[in-house]
């Protein structure tokens, strides 16, 4: 099991870690990591590992066995030995842009209050697939609503509930195709806003900005028809 440092502090850019395993494919597993692994539509982090006598670029991170995170080298190179301590650092500019897009997508699900059937995040844009038989009549109005929400200076925070508490509040789950992971006894929620001023609250394991103003202005892109009941809505960082 890898201790997920990014879950407690999404702004942590660098940390030490001890190599606990090298996978048969040449992936590196640390006892703790700042690298977010690919999941929930959010790409894994890229970055680098440095140790006494060596260094290696990391192309991405993925989930491994037994709740581990596997760091995948960008190209073949000498790997650190098991047991040694490395310094790990992420590509912060890319991560922060992913955080901005991810939080913006949560707010997109507020201005389009329909079930979500899919989504994807990139460093310059993101998209959500909605259960939406017809395209919105006024895309410009949706874009204005989204940017007004972003400008509301709302804090973004994480909290935890139990499986039973989530079962008692099924409306918290907006995604139709992906359900929150269960089995650990607790589920992470991301809240945008505070108390009665909450704009959004939903299960999410990804990384987010601390305040909506960090997102910056958003431009809505094309809206594609992806089936009789499905519309794909893109947003872009400006």
């Amino acid at each position: 099991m890898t201790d997920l440092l990014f879950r407690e502090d999404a702004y942590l850019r660098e940390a030490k870690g001890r190599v606990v395993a090298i996978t048969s494919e040449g992936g590196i597993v640390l006892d703790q990591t700042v690298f977010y692994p690919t999941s929930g539509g959010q790409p894994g982090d890229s970055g680098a590992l440095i140790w006494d006598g060596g260094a290696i670029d990391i192309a991405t991170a993925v989930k491994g066995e037994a709740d581990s995170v596997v760091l995948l080298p960008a190209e073949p190179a000498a790997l650190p030995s098991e047991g040694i301590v490395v310094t790990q650092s992420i590509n912060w500019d890319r991560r922060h842009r992913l955080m901005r897009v991810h939080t913006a997508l949560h707010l997109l699900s507020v201005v389009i209050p329909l079930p979500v059937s899919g989504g994807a995040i990139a460093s310059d844009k993101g998209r959500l697939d909605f259960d939406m038989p017809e395209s919105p009549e006024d895309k410009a109005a949706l874009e204005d609503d989204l940017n007004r929400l972003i400008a509301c200076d709302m804090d973004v925070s994480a909290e935890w509930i139990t499986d039973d508490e989530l079962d008692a509040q099924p409306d918290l789950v907006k995604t139709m195709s992906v359900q929150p992971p269960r089995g650990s006894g607790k589920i992470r929620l991301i809240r945008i806003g505070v108390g009665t001023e909450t704009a959004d609250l939903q299960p999410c394991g990804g990384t987010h900005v601390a305040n909506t103003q960090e997102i910056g202005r958003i431009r809505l892109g094309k809206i594609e028809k992806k089936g009789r009941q499905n519309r794909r809505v893109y947003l872009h960082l400006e």
Side-chain angles (χ1 to χ4, degrees):
M1 179 177 180
T2 305
D3 186 14
L4 308 180
L5 300 177
F6 61 81
R7 183 165 286 174
E8 299 302 323
D9 183 2
Y11 289 80
L12 188 62
R13 309 180 191 191
E14 183 176 297
K16 299 291 186 181
R18 185 177 300 277
V19 179
V20 296
I22 302 294
T23 70
S24 58
E25 294 82 14
I28 303 161
V29 180
L30 306 179
D31 62 343
Q32 59 178 13
T33 191
V34 294
F35 284 79
Y36 179 85
T38 302
S39 60
Q42 180 173 332
D45 286 323
S46 59
L49 300 181
I50 301 173
W51 63 94
D52 187 16
I56 194 169
D57 289 332
I58 299 300
T60 191
V62 297
K63 290 184 175 181
E65 298 179 354
D67 294 325
S68 65
V69 173
V70 182
L71 309 183
L72 302 180
E75 57 186 27
L79 300 176
S81 303
E82 288 187 29
I84 74 167
V85 174
V86 302
T87 298
Q88 51 185 315
S89 60
I90 59 172
N91 180 337
W92 171 248
D93 180 67
R94 176 175 178 269
R95 156 72 82 77
H96 191 245
R97 291 177 69 86
L98 291 169
M99 290 162 58
R100 290 167 61 197
V101 172
H102 199 158
T103 308
L105 288 175
H106 278 223
L107 291 178
L108 181 62
S109 74
V110 175
V111 299
I112 303 179
L114 296 172
V116 175
S117 57
I121 300 164
S123 60
D124 59 343
K125 65 182 179 181
R127 54 92 171 166
L128 289 179
D129 297 345
F130 291 95
D131 185 14
M132 182 192 303
E134 301 294 334
S135 293
E137 294 182 359
D138 193 341
K139 187 175 74 172
L142 285 177
E143 183 177 289
D144 289 343
D145 288 344
L146 179 57
N147 282 301
R148 274 195 293 269
L149 267 182
I150 290 169
C152 282
D153 191 25
M154 292 181 287
D155 288 336
V156 182
S157 59
E159 56 197 71
W160 297 84
I161 61 173
T162 65
D163 291 356
D164 290 342
E165 287 172 330
L166 182 62
D167 289 339
Q169 304 174 77
D171 290 346
L172 290 178
V173 181
K174 297 184 177 183
T175 53
M176 301 164 59
S177 58
V178 180
Q179 290 296 307
R182 295 173 180 265
S184 65
K186 59 181 183 178
I187 294 170
R188 182 174 181 256
L189 301 179
I190 293 297
R191 182 185 295 273
I192 302 178
V194 178
T196 57
E197 301 300 317
T198 294
D200 187 57
L201 180 65
Q202 60 177 292
C204 182
T207 57
H208 292 269
V209 295
N211 186 280
T212 57
Q213 286 196 339
E214 286 184 56
I215 297 170
R217 186 164 181 83
I218 290 295
R219 174 177 59 85
L220 286 188
K222 59 186 177 181
I223 299 177
E224 296 179 339
K225 183 176 181 180
K226 304 302 288 187
R228 186 172 60 86
Q229 292 287 118
N230 202 349
R231 295 295 183 279
R232 177 168 292 176
V233 182
Y234 289 87
L235 59 75
H236 301 258
L237 298 180
E238 288 195 342

mmCIF file of all heavy atoms in Angstrom, residues 149-175:
data_model
loop_
_atom_site.group_PDB
_atom_site.id
_atom_site.type_symbol
_atom_site.label_atom_id
_atom_site.label_comp_id
_atom_site.label_asym_id
_atom_site.label_seq_id
_atom_site.Cartn_x
_atom_site.Cartn_y
_atom_site.Cartn_z
ATOM 1 N N LEU A 149 -19.983 31.430 -11.329
ATOM 2 C CA LEU A 149 -19.724 30.538 -10.197
ATOM 3 C C LEU A 149 -18.243 30.533 -9.828
ATOM 4 O O LEU A 149 -17.877 30.609 -8.660
ATOM 5 C CB LEU A 149 -20.169 29.113 -10.547
ATOM 6 C CG LEU A 149 -21.567 28.655 -10.178
ATOM 7 C CD1 LEU A 149 -21.750 27.201 -10.579
ATOM 8 C CD2 LEU A 149 -21.837 28.833 -8.694
ATOM 9 N N ILE A 150 -17.399 30.451 -10.845
ATOM 10 C CA ILE A 150 -15.954 30.433 -10.609
ATOM 11 C C ILE A 150 -15.507 31.695 -9.890
ATOM 12 O O ILE A 150 -14.655 31.653 -8.992
ATOM 13 C CB ILE A 150 -15.208 30.273 -11.950
ATOM 14 C CG1 ILE A 150 -15.430 28.855 -12.503
ATOM 15 C CG2 ILE A 150 -13.724 30.567 -11.799
ATOM 16 C CD1 ILE A 150 -14.962 28.672 -13.923
ATOM 17 N N ALA A 151 -16.101 32.829 -10.253
ATOM 18 C CA ALA A 151 -15.707 34.114 -9.671
ATOM 19 C C ALA A 151 -16.250 34.336 -8.260
ATOM 20 O O ALA A 151 -15.940 35.363 -7.641
ATOM 21 C CB ALA A 151 -16.172 35.241 -10.590
ATOM 22 N N CYS A 152 -17.011 33.398 -7.744
ATOM 23 C CA CYS A 152 -17.631 33.564 -6.426
ATOM 24 C C CYS A 152 -16.668 33.366 -5.256
ATOM 25 O O CYS A 152 -17.090 33.436 -4.101
ATOM 26 C CB CYS A 152 -18.814 32.612 -6.274
ATOM 27 S SG CYS A 152 -20.306 33.152 -7.131
ATOM 28 N N ASP A 153 -15.389 33.077 -5.565
ATOM 29 C CA ASP A 153 -14.370 32.995 -4.515
ATOM 30 C C ASP A 153 -14.746 31.925 -3.472
ATOM 31 O O ASP A 153 -14.681 32.156 -2.262
ATOM 32 C CB ASP A 153 -14.206 34.364 -3.850
ATOM 33 C CG ASP A 153 -12.992 34.441 -2.946
ATOM 34 O OD1 ASP A 153 -12.039 33.668 -3.157
ATOM 35 O OD2 ASP A 153 -13.002 35.259 -2.010
ATOM 36 N N MET A 154 -15.105 30.739 -3.962
ATOM 37 C CA MET A 154 -15.525 29.660 -3.063
ATOM 38 C C MET A 154 -14.351 28.750 -2.724
ATOM 39 O O MET A 154 -13.582 28.342 -3.599
ATOM 40 C CB MET A 154 -16.640 28.827 -3.710
ATOM 41 C CG MET A 154 -17.941 29.556 -3.863
ATOM 42 S SD MET A 154 -19.240 28.525 -4.622
ATOM 43 C CE MET A 154 -18.671 28.464 -6.339
ATOM 44 N N ASP A 155 -14.230 28.419 -1.444
ATOM 45 C CA ASP A 155 -13.213 27.462 -1.030
ATOM 46 C C ASP A 155 -13.598 26.057 -1.467
ATOM 47 O O ASP A 155 -14.785 25.719 -1.562
ATOM 48 C CB ASP A 155 -13.041 27.491 0.496
ATOM 49 C CG ASP A 155 -12.347 28.757 0.972
ATOM 50 O OD1 ASP A 155 -11.609 29.367 0.174
ATOM 51 O OD2 ASP A 155 -12.544 29.141 2.134
ATOM 52 N N VAL A 156 -12.582 25.238 -1.737
ATOM 53 C CA VAL A 156 -12.779 23.845 -2.131
ATOM 54 C C VAL A 156 -12.123 22.975 -1.065
ATOM 55 O O VAL A 156 -10.941 23.146 -0.765
ATOM 56 C CB VAL A 156 -12.154 23.566 -3.516
ATOM 57 C CG1 VAL A 156 -12.418 22.120 -3.939
ATOM 58 C CG2 VAL A 156 -12.695 24.543 -4.557
ATOM 59 N N SER A 157 -12.877 22.059 -0.493
ATOM 60 C CA SER A 157 -12.368 21.257 0.610
ATOM 61 C C SER A 157 -12.791 19.807 0.473
ATOM 62 O O SER A 157 -13.680 19.468 -0.313
ATOM 63 C CB SER A 157 -12.866 21.814 1.953
ATOM 64 O OG SER A 157 -14.289 21.812 1.987
ATOM 65 N N ALA A 158 -12.131 18.940 1.242
ATOM 66 C CA ALA A 158 -12.438 17.506 1.231
ATOM 67 C C ALA A 158 -12.970 17.083 2.584
ATOM 68 O O ALA A 158 -12.582 17.628 3.626
ATOM 69 C CB ALA A 158 -11.191 16.700 0.884
ATOM 70 N N GLU A 159 -13.857 16.097 2.571
ATOM 71 C CA GLU A 159 -14.378 15.506 3.805
ATOM 72 C C GLU A 159 -14.696 14.047 3.524
ATOM 73 O O GLU A 159 -14.658 13.605 2.381
ATOM 74 C CB GLU A 159 -15.610 16.263 4.292
ATOM 75 C CG GLU A 159 -16.738 16.350 3.271
ATOM 76 C CD GLU A 159 -17.752 17.427 3.617
ATOM 77 O OE1 GLU A 159 -17.429 18.620 3.501
ATOM 78 O OE2 GLU A 159 -18.882 17.043 4.009
ATOM 79 N N TRP A 160 -15.001 13.312 4.568
ATOM 80 C CA TRP A 160 -15.212 11.868 4.427
ATOM 81 C C TRP A 160 -16.550 11.464 5.029
ATOM 82 O O TRP A 160 -16.986 12.015 6.036
ATOM 83 C CB TRP A 160 -14.086 11.092 5.129
ATOM 84 C CG TRP A 160 -12.738 11.333 4.535
ATOM 85 C CD1 TRP A 160 -11.877 12.374 4.815
ATOM 86 C CD2 TRP A 160 -12.083 10.553 3.535
ATOM 87 N NE1 TRP A 160 -10.743 12.278 4.064
ATOM 88 C CE2 TRP A 160 -10.835 11.166 3.268
ATOM 89 C CE3 TRP A 160 -12.427 9.383 2.847
ATOM 90 C CZ2 TRP A 160 -9.935 10.648 2.343
ATOM 91 C CZ3 TRP A 160 -11.530 8.876 1.923
ATOM 92 C CH2 TRP A 160 -10.301 9.494 1.679
ATOM 93 N N ILE A 161 -17.217 10.502 4.361
ATOM 94 C CA ILE A 161 -18.430 9.903 4.902
ATOM 95 C C ILE A 161 -18.310 8.387 4.777
ATOM 96 O O ILE A 161 -17.449 7.876 4.059
ATOM 97 C CB ILE A 161 -19.704 10.398 4.177
ATOM 98 C CG1 ILE A 161 -19.664 10.024 2.688
ATOM 99 C CG2 ILE A 161 -19.874 11.890 4.363
ATOM 100 C CD1 ILE A 161 -20.967 10.344 1.962
ATOM 101 N N THR A 162 -19.185 7.690 5.458
ATOM 102 C CA THR A 162 -19.182 6.229 5.393
ATOM 103 C C THR A 162 -20.014 5.758 4.195
ATOM 104 O O THR A 162 -20.783 6.525 3.608
ATOM 105 C CB THR A 162 -19.770 5.625 6.668
ATOM 106 O OG1 THR A 162 -21.166 5.986 6.761
ATOM 107 C CG2 THR A 162 -19.035 6.142 7.916
ATOM 108 N N ASP A 163 -19.858 4.477 3.860
ATOM 109 C CA ASP A 163 -20.668 3.890 2.788
ATOM 110 C C ASP A 163 -22.153 4.044 3.092
ATOM 111 O O ASP A 163 -22.953 4.372 2.207
ATOM 112 C CB ASP A 163 -20.325 2.408 2.622
ATOM 113 C CG ASP A 163 -18.933 2.182 2.062
ATOM 114 O OD1 ASP A 163 -18.254 3.174 1.724
ATOM 115 O OD2 ASP A 163 -18.524 1.010 1.963
ATOM 116 N N ASP A 164 -22.533 3.794 4.340
ATOM 117 C CA ASP A 164 -23.944 3.890 4.723
ATOM 118 C C ASP A 164 -24.463 5.314 4.588
ATOM 119 O O ASP A 164 -25.616 5.528 4.170
ATOM 120 C CB ASP A 164 -24.133 3.397 6.156
ATOM 121 C CG ASP A 164 -23.950 1.884 6.291
ATOM 122 O OD1 ASP A 164 -24.017 1.193 5.253
ATOM 123 O OD2 ASP A 164 -23.741 1.408 7.424
ATOM 124 N N GLU A 165 -23.625 6.279 4.936
ATOM 125 C CA GLU A 165 -24.046 7.680 4.810
ATOM 126 C C GLU A 165 -24.241 8.055 3.348
ATOM 127 O O GLU A 165 -25.170 8.809 3.009
ATOM 128 C CB GLU A 165 -23.007 8.595 5.467
ATOM 129 C CG GLU A 165 -23.030 8.548 6.992
ATOM 130 C CD GLU A 165 -21.870 9.302 7.608
ATOM 131 O OE1 GLU A 165 -20.789 9.366 6.985
ATOM 132 O OE2 GLU A 165 -22.040 9.828 8.733
ATOM 133 N N LEU A 166 -23.411 7.528 2.464
ATOM 134 C CA LEU A 166 -23.597 7.787 1.039
ATOM 135 C C LEU A 166 -24.864 7.122 0.526
ATOM 136 O O LEU A 166 -25.608 7.705 -0.267
ATOM 137 C CB LEU A 166 -22.387 7.301 0.243
ATOM 138 C CG LEU A 166 -22.451 7.564 -1.268
ATOM 139 C CD1 LEU A 166 -22.503 9.059 -1.562
ATOM 140 C CD2 LEU A 166 -21.273 6.918 -1.986
ATOM 141 N N ASP A 167 -25.121 5.905 0.988
ATOM 142 C CA ASP A 167 -26.342 5.204 0.577
ATOM 143 C C ASP A 167 -27.587 5.987 0.969
ATOM 144 O O ASP A 167 -28.607 5.928 0.273
ATOM 145 C CB ASP A 167 -26.387 3.809 1.203
ATOM 146 C CG ASP A 167 -25.359 2.858 0.603
ATOM 147 O OD1 ASP A 167 -24.904 3.124 -0.536
ATOM 148 O OD2 ASP A 167 -25.007 1.870 1.267
ATOM 149 N N ALA A 168 -27.487 6.729 2.076
ATOM 150 C CA ALA A 168 -28.618 7.526 2.540
ATOM 151 C C ALA A 168 -28.765 8.830 1.767
ATOM 152 O O ALA A 168 -29.786 9.524 1.898
ATOM 153 C CB ALA A 168 -28.473 7.823 4.031
ATOM 154 N N GLN A 169 -27.735 9.179 0.961
ATOM 155 C CA GLN A 169 -27.763 10.414 0.168
ATOM 156 C C GLN A 169 -27.377 10.095 -1.283
ATOM 157 O O GLN A 169 -26.360 10.573 -1.780
ATOM 158 C CB GLN A 169 -26.797 11.450 0.748
ATOM 159 C CG GLN A 169 -27.030 11.787 2.205
ATOM 160 C CD GLN A 169 -25.940 12.699 2.740
ATOM 161 O OE1 GLN A 169 -25.924 13.906 2.474
ATOM 162 N NE2 GLN A 169 -25.021 12.142 3.494
ATOM 163 N N PRO A 170 -28.152 9.284 -1.980
ATOM 164 C CA PRO A 170 -27.781 8.846 -3.334
ATOM 165 C C PRO A 170 -27.644 9.997 -4.323
ATOM 166 O O PRO A 170 -26.949 9.853 -5.338
ATOM 167 C CB PRO A 170 -28.924 7.907 -3.726
ATOM 168 C CG PRO A 170 -30.072 8.315 -2.850
ATOM 169 C CD PRO A 170 -29.468 8.752 -1.563
ATOM 170 N N ASP A 171 -28.268 11.142 -4.056
ATOM 171 C CA ASP A 171 -28.186 12.271 -4.980
ATOM 172 C C ASP A 171 -26.778 12.859 -5.053
ATOM 173 O O ASP A 171 -26.475 13.635 -5.976
ATOM 174 C CB ASP A 171 -29.173 13.371 -4.575
ATOM 175 C CG ASP A 171 -30.626 12.969 -4.801
ATOM 176 O OD1 ASP A 171 -30.843 11.973 -5.513
ATOM 177 O OD2 ASP A 171 -31.522 13.632 -4.264
ATOM 178 N N LEU A 172 -25.911 12.509 -4.097
ATOM 179 C CA LEU A 172 -24.541 13.007 -4.140
ATOM 180 C C LEU A 172 -23.770 12.442 -5.335
ATOM 181 O O LEU A 172 -22.824 13.058 -5.819
ATOM 182 C CB LEU A 172 -23.797 12.649 -2.846
ATOM 183 C CG LEU A 172 -24.219 13.375 -1.566
ATOM 184 C CD1 LEU A 172 -23.415 12.850 -0.376
ATOM 185 C CD2 LEU A 172 -24.020 14.889 -1.710
ATOM 186 N N VAL A 173 -24.161 11.263 -5.793
ATOM 187 C CA VAL A 173 -23.463 10.602 -6.896
ATOM 188 C C VAL A 173 -24.050 11.079 -8.219
ATOM 189 O O VAL A 173 -25.183 10.762 -8.562
ATOM 190 C CB VAL A 173 -23.557 9.067 -6.786
ATOM 191 C CG1 VAL A 173 -22.795 8.404 -7.932
ATOM 192 C CG2 VAL A 173 -23.027 8.591 -5.447
ATOM 193 N N LYS A 174 -23.255 11.839 -8.971
ATOM 194 C CA LYS A 174 -23.720 12.388 -10.242
ATOM 195 C C LYS A 174 -23.347 11.514 -11.431
ATOM 196 O O LYS A 174 -23.925 11.645 -12.503
ATOM 197 C CB LYS A 174 -23.146 13.792 -10.451
ATOM 198 C CG LYS A 174 -23.601 14.811 -9.417
ATOM 199 C CD LYS A 174 -23.075 16.201 -9.753
ATOM 200 C CE LYS A 174 -23.586 17.226 -8.783
ATOM 201 N NZ LYS A 174 -23.143 18.600 -9.136
ATOM 202 N N THR A 175 -22.342 10.666 -11.252
ATOM 203 C CA THR A 175 -21.850 9.862 -12.372
ATOM 204 C C THR A 175 -22.662 8.574 -12.496
ATOM 205 O O THR A 175 -22.838 7.837 -11.532
ATOM 206 C CB THR A 175 -20.366 9.517 -12.172
ATOM 207 O OG1 THR A 175 -20.176 8.928 -10.887
ATOM 208 C CG2 THR A 175 -19.520 10.769 -12.273
#
